[in-house]
Amino acid sequence: MSGNNWDDLRYLLAVARHGSLSAAARMLGVNHSTVLRRVTALEEALGVRLFDKLPGGYVLTAAGDEMQRVAARMEEEIVTANRLLSGRDMRIGGTLRVTTVDLLAVHYLPPHVAAFRARHPELRIDLTIAEASLSLTRREADVAIRLTNRPPENLIGRTLSGLAFAVYGARSYLEGRGGGRDPAGHDLAGHDCAGHDWADHDWVGLDETFDHTSMARWLQRSVPAERIGHRVNSVVAVMEAVRAGTGLGLLPCGFVDRQPEFRRLGPPVEEVGSAIWLLTHEDLRHMARVRAFLDHMAAAFARDRDLLEGRGGG
């Protein structure tokens, strides 16, 4: 049956997962009418209605739910086959898809990616910034560089380094606040942050999307809520707000200690920090371009480990 092939089933899966034709079209890189036409053709070929169009979006019928399960199994088999074949590709060319968080993408990876491409000019690096992990199992990415203390169990990789955080303020802000002294007039630099009353300072904090993190928990314990006058949902945004003089903030030592406009107000906060993991799927670990990138990045992070773990300045 001409409509009942994998290409048509991709459209069924996209609409089922996203709940609308427009969202499915964006994911597939086609227009709205193409999705509608392909789904309608599949329904006609099968002789059943696959979706009910409700006010809240497209919902699978009983027949559609059965077909969705069949299509999902087919997708898994195709993705697995592609992974296994890609894992045998020994060329250092083509495209390598890397996913990471904005902090690493903006403040660490660019020179290392540039050096890697200089060695392998036939290889294209597609870098996606995503706080949530893209699926390496479904080949949404080949390599992930993540800040986590609990990497996914279905991936393999290595810990590259720790990432320490400490309290920082812009020198311009601190000069207007006694040069970085606590309310009693003591110099904050070089002392344990836990011993200071931070209520005398303005702060840049993190919004509720970070409530599960050790950074947010430390701020809740250490800083009165009314002193947090600016909240953001990105560590990069905290860095830039602190740089602008908005207030103090918890920042990653490895990306701030060498920037003269910042001043560290104490050693790394012990209960705040993360490991940096380099991850891939087991089926891809022997692919030449993946292997080369893993080795290159592991060496880069190893050289910078003291800095990243807060021993490089301050």
Side-chain angles (χ1 to χ4, degrees):
M1 178 176 347
S2 61
N4 190 13
N5 56 38
W6 167 241
D7 199 43
D8 286 332
L9 291 174
R10 288 194 309 119
Y11 288 83
L12 164 70
L13 283 176
V15 177
R17 287 169 176 163
H18 296 277
S20 73
L21 298 180
S22 57
R26 286 193 296 273
M27 192 274 288
L28 293 167
V30 298
N31 58 44
H32 175 284
S33 61
T34 298
V35 178
L36 178 59
R37 177 168 50 80
R38 297 297 287 269
V39 170
T40 301
L42 184 58
E43 289 180 325
E44 292 175 351
L46 295 171
V48 295
R49 192 175 73 256
L50 298 174
F51 292 96
D52 287 325
K53 189 176 186 308
L54 303 178
Y58 278 70
V59 178
L60 289 165
T61 63
D65 187 57
E66 291 180 9
M67 285 303 301
Q68 186 267 344
R69 288 198 295 271
V70 171
R73 286 196 298 270
M74 290 178 63
E75 178 188 51
E76 184 176 352
E77 291 174 0
I78 290 170
V79 168
T80 298
N82 285 337
R83 273 204 321 268
L84 292 171
L85 291 172
S86 295
R88 297 189 180 100
D89 182 359
M90 300 309 293
R91 295 178 304 109
I92 302 186
T95 299
L96 182 74
R97 290 168 293 184
V98 180
T99 179
T100 192
V101 295
D102 58 355
L103 180 65
L104 296 175
V106 173
H107 290 283
Y108 188 79
L109 291 180
H112 301 301
V113 170
F116 183 71
R117 283 215 65 254
R119 295 174 60 186
H120 305 289
E122 295 184 3
L123 178 64
R124 188 181 81 188
I125 305 292
D126 285 356
L127 181 64
T128 300
I129 297 173
E131 294 300 323
S133 295
L134 297 181
S135 173
L136 273 66
T137 301
R138 289 185 176 175
R139 293 295 307 278
E140 293 174 334
D142 302 313
V143 174
I145 307 174
R146 287 287 164 205
L147 304 181
T148 181
N149 291 318
R150 299 180 64 185
E153 294 181 359
N154 64 325
L155 302 179
I156 63 169
R158 66 184 93 173
T159 306
L160 298 173
S161 171
L163 185 62
F165 285 76
V167 177
Y168 290 84
R171 293 185 181 275
S172 58
Y173 167 85
L174 293 169
E175 286 167 2
R177 296 280 183 138
R181 296 179 179 274
D182 68 11
H186 300 116
D187 190 349
L188 298 178
H191 298 283
D192 185 353
C193 294
H196 296 291
D197 179 7
W198 297 114
D200 193 48
H201 288 275
D202 297 324
W203 281 79
V204 182
L206 296 160
D207 72 7
E208 62 277 0
T209 60
F210 279 77
D211 282 352
H212 64 287
T213 67
S214 57
M215 293 176 63
R217 290 192 292 270
W218 185 88
L219 284 166
Q220 290 166 3
R221 290 194 305 269
S222 307
V223 180
E226 62 271 17
R227 297 305 318 204
I228 301 177
H230 183 37
R231 297 202 310 162
V232 295
N233 68 342
S234 159
V235 177
V236 170
V238 176
M239 187 184 303
E240 296 311 312
V242 172
R243 188 197 307 274
T246 304
L248 304 184
L250 270 178
L251 297 177
C253 303
F255 307 128
V256 181
D257 278 340
R258 291 182 177 175
Q259 299 189 43
E261 61 266 47
F262 290 97
R263 184 180 179 195
R264 192 205 286 188
L265 306 181
V269 180
E270 289 187 5
E271 61 265 46
V272 177
S274 179
I276 304 174
W277 279 84
L278 185 61
L279 301 163
T280 189
H281 193 278
E282 184 174 9
D283 293 342
L284 301 178
R285 62 178 174 169
H286 297 303
M287 185 192 301
R289 57 181 176 267
V290 171
R291 182 78 268 150
F293 186 78
L294 296 179
D295 291 344
H296 178 85
M297 294 311 305
F301 276 92
R303 290 192 296 270
D304 294 331
R305 189 161 187 164
D306 281 349
L307 181 66
L308 293 167
E309 294 182 350
R311 298 185 294 273

